[in-house]
Structures are given as structure tokens and as C-alpha cells.
Amino acid sequence: MDGVLLDTEKIHEKSVAAVASKFGKTYDLSLRYRVLGAPEFDGAQMIINELNLPISIEEFLNMVHAIENKVLPDVAILPGVDRLVRHLDKNKVPFAIATSSTKNSFDLKTSQHKSLFSLFNHIVTGGSDPEVKNGKPAPDIFLTCASRFPDKPHPNKCLVFEDSPNGVRGAKEAGMQAVMIADNLISKDLCTEATVVLGSIEDFVPEAFGLPSYN
């Protein structure tokens, strides 16, 4: 969801950077891409350890949330998303969300886009779902998400959209194909495991994966 459907990654990056700066630390690209896609608790722990912040995970998350909660309800849908989601829905192609967010975080981020998100078959919020034992890059969240479709498709019939190296790796570990929506600043070395790398969902060609064409 984050960085694929919703333009939340910049908000999160700025919020974490603001907290880090309070302690004279810098949240750089290298650390950002290691955290990207990880469950919230795991990512916070990684940042605290890497930057040697003198606060607990709970304190860190409270500080980040205090900044984010003011702007996340107004987060925008990324280009191409509305078109693709409605296209899949119209053509009865099953689709769902596998996000590392908690249920509360998901509800906050999608509060202004309920009609669009109601089209998804189901939502797996890995940050608060007891069935998701391990976060990305483990495959748990993708396998759980696939198992909740009525026909329980085999992993090789599933296509994952991801923006993070951790997410792509998890999808591949699950035995699924992965379309990576890559940030312009991300190193090409971190994109090699994706089936295809795109700059935006606007660039996605459904028929390349056996899906109904926009035309």
C-alpha cells in the first residue's frame, strides 16, 4: 500500500528524519531502504539501533505518529492507481492488499479514499494480524494474503506490486512475480529481484501478465 497505492513514503521519511534530527542524527538513504517495507516495530528498532537514539521503540513511534497523524488523513492516491483498481474490479480480477501497516494505521491513511479501498477483496494488515508471524522480507504476509482469496490461488498465479526491496524479496520468497514501483533514488542493484521495474503504476501493461487490456 505505502509507496504503491498511497503517497505516504515521503511523509514517513520526513517524520522519521524530523525525530532523528532532534537527537542530532541523520536518516540517510541507505538506512531508509533497509527499513522500507519492514513492519513498523521492526523498522523503528532498526532506526534506533542504527542511529543510537536514546529512546525506546514506543517513545520513537509516539514521536513519529504525532507528526504523521496531522497529515496522513489527507494523503493522495498515486498516479495510475485509481485506473488500475477500477479496471481490475470491472474485469472481475481478484485483488487484495498486503501491508505492513497496523489496522489503525491503515484506517487513518485510507480515511479519505474509502470508496476505492472498498473494492479490494480483503486487506491484510501485517502489523496487527496474528497470522503474519514474520515481516517482510519473509514471505508470510503474501502467503497469508493469497490464502484468503476464495479460490486460494497457488503462489505462481499471484502478482505482487511493491516499492521496497524487502517487499520484492518477500514476494519472490513466496514464489510470486513482483512488479517493483521504484523510487528514482533507489540503486539499481536493489531492484534486480523484481520481475519488472516501473517508475509508476501508470506504466503498468496488464496484458504483459495475462490480464485484460485497458483497451
Side-chain angles (χ1 to χ4, degrees):
M1 181 177 70
D2 295 286
V4 175
L5 304 178
L6 295 175
D7 194 14
T8 53
E9 289 300 345
K10 291 176 183 175
I11 294 172
H12 185 65
E13 179 188 359
K14 289 179 180 178
S15 300
V16 172
V19 172
S21 69
K22 292 179 185 292
F23 300 96
K25 305 290 185 176
T26 301
Y27 183 49
D28 62 23
L29 274 177
S30 173
L31 178 55
R32 176 188 166 198
Y33 287 127
R34 276 180 281 150
V35 170
L36 200 61
E40 185 176 61
F41 187 91
D42 295 348
Q45 188 169 48
M46 196 183 306
I47 293 166
I48 289 169
N49 291 344
E50 184 78 15
L51 300 182
N52 195 28
L53 301 181
I55 51 176
S56 68
I57 293 175
E58 182 179 8
E59 288 171 327
F60 173 83
L61 290 176
N62 285 341
M63 293 173 74
V64 171
H65 291 164
I67 299 171
E68 291 183 339
N69 289 352
K70 297 175 183 178
V71 291
L72 279 179
D74 298 316
V75 68
I77 296 285
L78 284 164
V81 169
D82 188 277
R83 181 191 187 202
L84 177 59
V85 168
R86 296 188 188 282
H87 173 71
L88 295 176
D89 179 61
K90 178 182 177 182
N91 287 279
K92 301 187 182 335
V93 177
F95 56 100
I97 288 176
T99 174
S100 295
S101 295
T102 62
K103 177 64 165 58
N104 287 341
S105 178
F106 172 84
D107 289 343
L108 181 69
K109 295 169 187 174
T110 61
S111 60
Q112 300 300 316
H113 308 289
K114 289 182 179 179
S115 62
L116 184 68
F117 281 88
S118 69
L119 300 178
F120 288 81
N121 186 82
H122 55 276
I123 313 292
V124 178
T125 51
S128 54
D129 192 311
E131 195 173 333
V132 181
K133 304 298 185 186
N134 303 291
K136 304 171 189 178
D140 301 34
I141 194 169
F142 298 114
L143 295 173
T144 297
C145 192
S147 75
R148 293 181 185 173
F149 284 109
D151 61 342
K152 301 186 185 301
H154 190 278
N156 66 15
K157 298 296 184 183
C158 298
L159 179 64
V160 174
F161 288 81
E162 263 290 349
D163 71 320
S164 74
N166 283 331
V168 170
R169 192 167 300 116
K172 300 297 283 187
E173 287 291 324
M176 303 174 181
Q177 295 188 79
V179 173
M180 186 174 190
I181 311 300
D183 187 302
N184 290 333
L185 297 176
I186 195 169
S187 167
K188 291 183 179 179
D189 294 340
L190 298 176
C191 303
T192 57
E193 295 183 75
T195 309
V196 64
V197 180
L198 305 176
S200 166
I201 281 187
E202 284 186 307
D203 302 324
F204 179 65
V205 180
E207 58 267 36
F209 289 92
L211 296 169
S213 166
Y214 282 130
N215 298 321

